[in-house]
C-alpha cells in the first residue's frame, strides 16, 4: 500500500509521523472519510470543502491548495489501484514541542490513506442495527463545535464503548439539552406517517455528506424531509429509522434501548432509500486516472 505524506507517496512501512506531532499529542488536527465507488471518488469537492472549513475553524492552515489536495487524493487512489474503497484524509497541526502552543508547529502535515473498509456485516443491512441511548453526550458548541471533524474523537469513542458493552452496534447521542443529535459515527433519520425527519445541524449533528445526499434523494423521490429538534419519544414512536454515514452508507436501525422501532424490521421506505443511495453512489463522482 502507498501512503501519501506531505507530497510523497511512501510504502506503508515507511509511512511514519513524529511522536512530537500535535495530532498525536493533543488530537490537534482534522480529518475526512471519503468513499471510492466504481473507480470514482464520491463527493470529493464536498468532503474537501468540509475539511478546509474545519481546518479554518481551528486556525489550522492546510499547507496545500484545494486543487493540490484534490489531485493528491485521486493520485493516492490511483497509486493503490483501488476501484472501491475508503480514503482517510488527515491534516495534523504538525511537529511541535511538548506544549499546547500551535505556533510552535511551523508545518502542518497532510496524510492520505486509501484502503478498503467494511464497517458493518451484511446482516446489519438485512436485519437492521440495534441502538442504545448513550450516556455520553455530544459536546456543547461552546466547548468544541460538533461540526468540527477533529482528530479528537474521544467523545465518540466513549459513546461507542457504551454501545459495544450493551451488545449494540451504534448508539444515539443526545446534546446537552437532551435532544437527539446523531449517532457515534453516523447521522440519524426517522420516518413517521410517510415523512422523514432528521435532527437539525444545530442539535449537535455533523453536517454529513451522506445525510445531504439522502436529503437530495428524498427530494427527488417526493418524500418530505424535515430538519427538526428531535427527542427520544420521536424515535421510540417512529415507523422506521435509518442511519447515514460515509462508511456505513444508509442502513436500517430497528431497535432503541431494547424497544423495537415500528415493526422491528427494516421498513419499506428505508429499503427504498438504501437502494437509491447505492445507485447514486455508483453513478457520480470524480473519475480516478488509473495507470493501466
Ligand atoms: N456523525 C459523525 C460523528 C461522524 O463521524 C460521521 C462520519 N463518520 C457522520 C456523522 C456521517 O458523516 P458523513 O456522511 O459525512 O460521513
Amino acid at each position: 500500500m502507498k501512503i501519501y505524506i506531505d507530497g510523497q507517496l511512501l510504502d506503508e512501512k515507511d509511512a511514519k509521523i513524529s511522536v512530537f506531532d500535535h495530532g498525536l499529542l493533543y488530537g490537534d488536527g482534522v480529518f475526512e472519510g471519503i468513499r471510492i465507488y466504481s473507480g470514482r471518488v464520491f463527493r470529493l469537492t464536498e468532503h474537501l470543502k468540509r475539511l478546509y472549513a474545519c481546518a479554518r475553524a481551528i486556525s489550522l492552515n492546510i499547507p496545500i491548495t484545494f486543487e493540490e489536495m484534490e489531485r493528491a487524493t485521486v493520485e493516492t487512489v490511483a497509486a493503490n489501484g483501488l476501484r472501491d474503497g475508503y480514503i482517510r484524509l488527515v491534516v495534523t497541526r504538525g511537529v511541535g514541542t511538548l506544549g499546547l502552543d500551535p505556533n510552535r508547529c511551523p508545518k502542518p502535515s497532510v496524510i492520505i490513506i486509501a484502503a478498503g473498509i467494511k464497517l458493518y456485516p451484511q446482516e446489519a443491512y438485512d436485519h437492521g442495527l440495534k441502538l442504545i441511548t448513550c450516556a455520553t453526550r455530544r459536546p456543547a458548541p461552546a466547548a468544541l463545535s460538533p461540526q468540527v471533524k477533529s482528530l479528537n474523537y474521544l467523545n465518540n469513542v466513549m459513546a461507542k464503548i457504551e454501545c459495544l458493552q450493551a451488545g449494540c452496534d451504534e448508539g444515539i447521542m443526545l446534546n446537552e439539552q437532551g435532544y437527539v443529535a446523531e449517532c457515534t459515527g453516523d447521522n440519524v433519520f426517522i420516518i413517521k406517517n410517510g415523512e422523514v425527519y432528521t435532527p437539525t445541524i444545530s442539535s449537535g449533528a455533523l453536517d454529513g455528506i451522506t445525510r445531504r445526499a439522502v436529503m437530495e434523494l428524498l427530494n427527488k423521490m417526493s418524500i418530505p424531509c424535515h430538519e427538526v429538534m428531535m427527542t427520544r419519544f420521536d424515535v421510540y414512536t417512529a415507523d422506521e429509522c435509518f442511519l447515514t454515514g460515509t462508511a456505513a452508507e444508509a442502513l436500517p436501525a430497528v431497535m432503541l434501548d431494547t424497544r423495537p422501532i415500528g415493526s422491528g424490521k427494516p421498513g419499506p421506505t428505508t429499503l427504498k432509500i438504501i437502494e437509491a443511495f447505492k445507485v447514486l453512489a455508483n453513478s457520480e463522482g470524480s473519475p480516478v486516472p488509473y495507470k493501466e
Side-chain angles (χ1 to χ4, degrees):
M1 188 192 297
K2 293 280 184 197
I3 293 167
Y4 173 101
I5 302 185
D6 297 331
Q8 284 185 294
L9 276 169
L10 303 167
D11 282 333
E12 192 178 333
K13 64 176 185 352
D14 302 318
K16 298 194 170 110
I17 60 153
S18 164
V19 293
F20 289 100
D21 193 304
H22 279 208
L24 174 70
L25 291 174
Y26 299 114
D28 186 355
V30 290
F31 78 100
E32 273 300 320
I34 310 170
R35 284 293 283 273
I36 314 146
Y37 293 101
S38 310
R40 291 161 185 273
V41 183
F42 186 67
R43 306 232 158 157
L44 179 58
T45 307
E46 284 88 336
H47 279 285
L48 293 187
K49 276 188 185 161
R50 186 170 69 184
L51 181 81
Y52 277 76
C54 289
R56 199 182 173 95
I58 66 163
S59 296
L60 172 62
N61 287 320
I62 298 182
I64 57 176
T65 64
F66 196 94
E67 290 71 29
E68 286 168 338
M69 186 71 85
E70 241 171 348
R71 222 172 304 132
T73 307
V74 291
E75 277 171 16
T76 307
V77 175
N80 288 287
L82 280 170
R83 293 192 182 264
D84 289 280
Y86 179 86
I87 306 161
R88 173 56 56 93
L89 225 157
V90 182
V91 185
T92 75
R93 186 75 66 178
V95 176
T97 58
L98 293 176
L100 284 178
D101 187 353
N103 295 329
R104 300 273 180 89
C105 309
K107 194 173 172 296
S109 267
V110 178
I111 300 163
I112 307 172
I113 308 164
I117 192 167
K118 184 100 181 115
L119 205 61
Y120 296 110
Q122 187 54 40
E123 195 195 303
Y125 295 87
D126 297 339
H127 302 295
L129 295 181
K130 293 190 182 91
L131 312 177
I132 53 160
T133 306
C134 302
T136 306
R137 302 280 175 110
R138 287 296 281 161
L144 173 64
S145 171
Q147 292 229 58
V148 178
K149 207 163 159 58
S150 84
L151 293 182
N152 191 331
Y153 247 52
L154 199 50
N155 183 251
N156 306 58
V157 172
M158 297 311 288
K160 183 79 178 186
I161 290 170
E162 288 181 48
C163 302
L164 298 173
Q165 283 176 342
C168 289
D169 315 279
E170 249 292 16
I172 285 190
M173 297 185 76
L174 308 176
N175 66 17
E176 261 195 323
Q177 286 79 43
Y179 288 98
V180 172
E182 58 176 344
C183 292
T184 69
D186 301 295
N187 289 111
V188 62
F189 289 76
I190 57 167
I191 304 170
K192 190 152 195 180
N193 300 326
E195 306 208 355
V196 178
Y197 301 85
T198 192
T200 59
I201 296 303
S202 55
S203 299
L206 186 78
D207 190 354
I209 308 292
T210 323
R211 175 183 181 274
R212 283 198 198 190
V214 162
M215 287 167 83
E216 285 168 25
L217 285 173
L218 290 167
N219 190 30
K220 279 198 192 130
M221 294 157 88
S222 300
I223 301 173
C225 179
H226 313 278
E227 294 181 83
V228 294
M229 304 275 278
M230 188 184 285
T231 67
R232 283 196 295 168
F233 174 92
D234 302 317
V235 187
Y236 289 144
T237 59
D239 300 326
E240 301 180 35
C241 177
F242 65 93
L243 313 184
T244 64
T246 291
E249 305 178 340
L251 88 172
V254 293
M255 205 173 258
L256 174 60
D257 301 329
T258 72
R259 306 179 189 200
I261 301 170
S263 67
K265 294 195 176 92
T269 308
T270 297
L271 295 175
K272 235 196 268 175
I273 292 162
I274 291 173
E275 209 38 54
F277 181 78
K278 273 206 185 93
V279 172
L280 175 79
N282 283 284
S283 62
E284 66 162 53
S286 328
V288 176
Y290 297 101
K291 295 170 193 77
E292 299 299 343

